Amino acid sequence: MNRHVKHLLSAYAHDQLSPSRRRRVTHHLSRCEQCRAAWLRDQETVGRIRREMRTLGMPDRAVLARGYGAVMGQVRLNRPHLSFHWLPSLGMGLAVMLTFALLTSALIGGATYAGAAPLPPIPAEIQATWTPVVTEPPTAPTLVAAAEDVRPVASQSAEMHPDVLSTSIPLMLSPVPDAPR
Amino acid sequence: MAAKKIYDENEIRELIPRCIAGDETAYAALYEMCASGVYRLAYSILLHQQDAEDVMQEALVYAFKSLHQYDPSRAGFRTWLYHITVSRCRNARRRKWLPTVRLSHLLDLGIEPMDEQEPEIDYEWQNARETLDHALSQLSPRLREALALRYGQDLTYREMSEILGCPQKTAESRVRLAHESLRTMLTEADAAFLREFST
């Protein structure tokens, strides 16, 4: 309790001590003449600083008049007040909407690929149909010529209906007489 | 300019919508209420007349143009305005290294010694003022800001913390450190004179 508290006086004045320490300083000041004198001196200095600071830099009329002219001149220049502070928000909103639309279409549509389109169905009226071929039995003088005519045609007959071949082949086996021995 | 009006937060809140609507008399009333405090704060921080005047104009122009952004639910108008002012002071300090303040600066401001004083009292008053002003100029900018707000504007620590953008405990510590520095710098002779002068 005999230790002086001068080093704590500023903190004491600004209420920055813990409750127990504050009680100790208060108690010490009530008993120590030296510390109490320092405390009173400190308080006087603070009071003086406070009074001086309140009048420090007090502007005169000329400063205020100049300031008013300058301030109002600039404020008037900006009237009517056109505020475009919403413009960045609008731009950001549009960008978000565009991104959302692109992402949505990509997710729903899936990946794109290149491929041939399916063939269109053939109309019924132009589809190939089998037409029966009826051949008259040839007469005797024309058998050889007919056989010669038939041979090249035989290559084509592969494309003909089997029924057509079956009717013409027996006619082609005996048109030429056997050679003399 | 007419006589200064007393700062009134409620009246200011009534003036703001009129200002936004373009009422010039409302601007004039608002200027009259705030300009002196803004100038004193700027001068207490910068300790330079021309810089303080520039800062006052910059801060008020910005505030008047931004009145539509002021939100009364977040801070008092004075707190908002002083926050702008301190910010402008910091910008000004960055632009220019501050010279030591001379007595002539104080006299140029129109701060006249008290009337009906004896010539020797005037001289001593000026000396005391110069001593204190010199001590202020030796403080770091942050401590001077704290001192100007606490002692010059009578703000609470909570308001100071909002203006300075720091915790309340930091604001308290800055005032205490400024106080300790000033006490150390002021000579015993100055303190003795201050005691004598204040009686």
Side-chain angles (χ1 to χ4, degrees):
Chain A
M1 198 59 67
N2 292 328
R3 290 171 59 188
H4 291 302
V5 293
K6 286 179 187 172
H7 62 291
L8 297 174
L9 289 181
S10 289
Y12 180 75
H14 293 90
D15 199 17
Q16 290 187 308
L17 293 176
S18 65
S20 62
R21 213 165 205 193
R22 184 171 182 79
R23 276 196 302 274
R24 185 170 79 80
V25 172
T26 306
H27 185 66
H28 182 86
L29 286 177
S30 67
R31 297 176 61 183
C32 177
E33 194 67 32
Q34 197 178 347
C35 284
R36 189 163 61 248
W39 165 249
L40 291 175
R41 199 164 50 243
D42 202 51
Q43 288 299 101
E44 284 177 9
T45 306
V46 169
R48 188 65 201 162
I49 292 169
R50 192 187 294 266
R51 282 193 292 275
E52 294 291 331
M53 291 292 291
R54 280 178 184 161
T55 57
L56 182 65
M58 194 66 80
D60 60 8
R61 291 180 182 180
V63 169
L64 291 176
R66 271 199 307 272
Y68 183 74
V71 169
M72 289 311 297
Q74 293 195 48
V75 171
R76 279 192 206 105
L77 280 178
N78 286 270
R79 243 185 292 150
H81 184 70
L82 294 175
S83 175
F84 293 103
H85 60 273
W86 47 268
L87 206 54
S89 305
L90 178 66
M92 183 64 74
L94 288 174
V96 168
M97 287 172 63
L98 183 62
T99 307
F100 181 75
L102 288 174
L103 284 175
T104 306
S105 65
L107 288 173
I108 293 174
T112 46
Y113 63 95
L119 292 172
I122 301 171
E125 58 268 20
I126 63 170
Q127 275 185 347
T129 54
W130 173 72
T131 305
V133 177
V134 179
T135 307
E136 298 267 338
T139 56
T142 61
L143 279 177
V144 174
E148 288 174 352
D149 290 337
V150 165
R151 279 194 189 102
V153 174
S155 61
Q156 300 172 2
S157 66
E159 297 173 7
M160 297 177 69
H161 199 275
D163 291 347
V164 176
L165 290 176
S166 63
T167 53
S168 60
I169 285 171
L171 295 174
M172 291 163 47
L173 288 178
S174 57
V176 182
D178 293 340
R181 297 181 181 177
Chain B
M1 302 289 294
K4 281 184 298 179
K5 287 185 179 177
I6 298 171
Y7 184 90
D8 183 352
E9 192 78 28
N10 290 329
E11 191 175 344
I12 282 177
R13 289 186 183 181
E14 289 173 8
L15 287 174
I16 287 173
R18 289 172 52 200
C19 289
I20 293 172
D23 183 352
E24 197 155 321
T25 57
Y27 274 118
L30 195 59
Y31 179 89
E32 214 171 300
M33 277 191 190
C34 305
S36 179
V38 170
Y39 181 87
R40 284 200 306 113
L41 176 60
Y43 184 83
S44 303
I45 294 172
L46 299 171
L47 297 175
H48 191 274
Q49 180 186 357
Q50 190 56 51
D51 288 346
E53 196 173 333
D54 292 345
V55 164
M56 177 189 75
Q57 291 177 13
E58 282 178 28
L60 287 173
V61 166
Y62 180 84
F64 284 1
K65 285 182 183 175
S66 310
L67 281 176
H68 60 284
Q69 293 176 353
Y70 167 64
D71 183 2
S73 64
R74 292 181 63 187
F77 183 77
R78 188 166 60 161
T79 306
W80 181 69
L81 184 59
Y82 286 178
H83 179 78
I84 295 169
T85 307
V86 169
S87 172
R88 293 297 184 281
C89 285
R90 289 175 180 172
N91 291 345
R93 205 165 52 223
R94 284 189 206 106
R95 286 197 299 262
K96 180 182 177 183
W97 187 252
L98 295 173
T100 304
V101 172
R102 307 299 302 170
L103 175 64
S104 57
H105 289 154
L106 286 173
L107 296 178
D108 288 345
L109 286 173
I111 302 172
E112 300 296 339
M114 294 176 182
D115 294 337
E116 298 175 359
Q117 283 184 332
E118 298 296 326
E120 60 271 20
I121 298 294
D122 289 352
Y123 176 74
E124 289 173 344
W125 184 87
Q126 289 169 1
N127 273 345
R129 188 96 201 208
E130 190 174 26
T131 304
L132 178 64
D133 204 76
H134 180 72
L136 282 174
S137 69
Q138 300 302 308
L139 290 177
S140 74
R142 293 297 162 103
L143 297 188
R144 205 161 52 235
E145 285 173 6
L147 210 62
L149 291 169
R150 179 65 180 165
Y151 292 154
Q153 304 289 336
D154 280 332
L155 296 179
T156 64
Y157 285 118
R158 185 169 170 275
E159 289 171 322
M160 284 176 61
S161 69
E162 289 174 3
I163 291 169
L164 297 174
C166 65
Q168 187 171 323
K169 286 290 177 191
T170 306
E172 291 176 11
S173 296
R174 284 182 189 172
V175 173
R176 180 173 59 79
L177 288 172
H179 172 200
E180 287 175 355
S181 300
L182 279 183
R183 189 178 55 186
T184 306
M185 282 187 283
L186 291 173
T187 62
E188 187 59 36
D190 291 334
F193 169 75
L194 289 172
R195 283 198 300 279
E196 180 188 346
F197 182 75
S198 61
T199 55

